Amino acid sequence: MGQQPITFLRQVMALCTYPNLLDSPSFPEDAKKRARRILQACGGNSLGSYSASQGVNCIREDVAAYITRRDGGMPADPDNIYLTTGASDGISTILKILVSGGGKSRTGVMIPIPQYPLYSAVISELDAIQVNYYLDEENCWALNVHELRRAVREAKNHCDPKVLCIINPGNPTGQVQSRKCIEDVIHFAWEEKLFLLADEVYQDNVYSPDCRFHSFKKVLYEMGPEYSNNVELASFHSTSKGYMGECGYRGGYMEVINLHPEIKGQLVKLLSVRLCPPVSGQAAMDIVVNPPVAGEESFEQFHKEKESVLGNLATKAKLTENLFNEVPGIHCNPLQGAMYAFPRIFIPTKAVEAAQAHKMAPDMFYCMKLLEETGICVVPGSGFGQREGTYHFRMTILPPVEKLKTVLQKVKDFHIKFLDKYA
């Protein structure tokens, strides 16, 4: 998609992978300092050694320090930090220890609709019960507590709802939940004794000037001990998103709080089965949480590259929203955060009938036609879930601005022709 890697991250990774480079004058001293610290904490001073199952100790300490800074001094304990193979690994591991029972006592897992399909896949794999709650499209995909209450009430007839998943900022919908909304969700979880899963991998990707990322951990602690001592919370972050985009390293972490000591012991056992997350991914995560600071040699270049990536994404978010909303039959909510647009598309009755004749969902039919006629690949909304009778697709906003303009123009032209053909 044209995004260049962050120089500092790749420099430290190069030094960690091939330590002979530590003698090279081509690398800045602050990158060498990071690499030496990571290597000294690794068995045999090498990324090639296994680490502790929970992750390299000094990296977990750096993650805890990062969370403390991010949350305005709210303390984080390295012992509650688990390094993971991307955020996905952490999410599936936590769900594994939470799912139990059979019949009506089988664990119900509440997920937002539209959702990131990892959730439905893991729920299916663990034979848990998927409990859908719908985000409010008319209100910029906000999370509504009345809808959570409805979902829990109906779910109790056939399962035991125990887990509530939130994706903030949202994938595929791109919304950023307000602080008030997060407080309401935490209160609801406290009332219903639900385990909260906060998927916060897009926490750096906030574009709307009137939106801010609020971590569930910070809001939970600010709501006072009645909540902060009782609500169980696992929150997740990753090297794959943000301004880094280092998906292939498979680096991530989860912070788990208020877990009963015996359950914590079982979690560590479960993590031990997979030995450890990739140590190179752990090192990449360390650089994300421990970047250059003002006064260090690499700070200026790092800051410039980071702001350039995030500034470009903000520009592309606004461009995508504006251009989609110029097209008859397409409506796109503001892209407040994350990396995607999830526009609603009007599909005429004749096109719905043509899709049925091909035994396809109408939005899948639309997306296949778009792919065949333009070469543009988007994902149908039915892959994420959507309200009955509505159709969407998800499209990334990652391409460079000029290429994105071309893509959006092609989608516009295709959509107008599609409406004419099936009118």
Side-chain angles (χ1 to χ4, degrees), residues 202-222:
Y202 294 101
Q203 58 190 260
D204 288 308
N205 302 95
V206 176
Y207 314 125
S208 292
D210 52 345
C211 289
R212 260 189 69 210
F213 169 74
H214 301 278
S215 79
F216 266 77
K217 160 89 178 294
K218 182 172 193 275
V219 176
L220 176 65
Y221 272 73
E222 287 176 350

Side-chain angles (χ1 to χ4, degrees), residues 138-189:
E138 309 310 315
N139 191 18
C140 206
W141 300 111
L143 201 164
N144 186 312
V145 173
H146 298 299
E147 170 60 11
L148 293 180
R149 290 193 203 288
R150 177 208 61 79
V152 161
R153 190 171 59 247
E154 291 178 13
K156 282 178 178 174
N157 296 323
H158 60 273
C159 70
D160 179 13
K162 283 186 189 168
V163 187
L164 171 57
C165 304
I166 295 100
I167 310 172
N168 180 47
N171 174 10
T173 45
Q175 85 288 358
V176 179
Q177 301 296 0
S178 69
R179 188 198 160 86
K180 169 75 169 70
C181 170
I182 293 170
E183 284 179 1
D184 290 346
V185 170
I186 290 170
H187 179 72
F188 172 76

Side-chain angles (χ1 to χ4, degrees), residues 328-348:
I330 296 185
H331 172 72
C332 186
N333 271 323
L335 278 61
Q336 296 173 334
M339 296 176 174
Y340 314 100
F342 196 66
R344 185 164 169 171
I345 49 174
F346 171 68
I347 298 183

Side-chain angles (χ1 to χ4, degrees), residues 310-330:
L310 294 174
N312 268 330
L313 283 167
T315 301
K316 292 185 283 192
K318 196 68 190 158
L319 174 76
T320 304
E321 177 200 338
N322 290 345
L323 287 180
F324 271 146
N325 285 328
E326 288 174 7
V327 186
I330 296 185

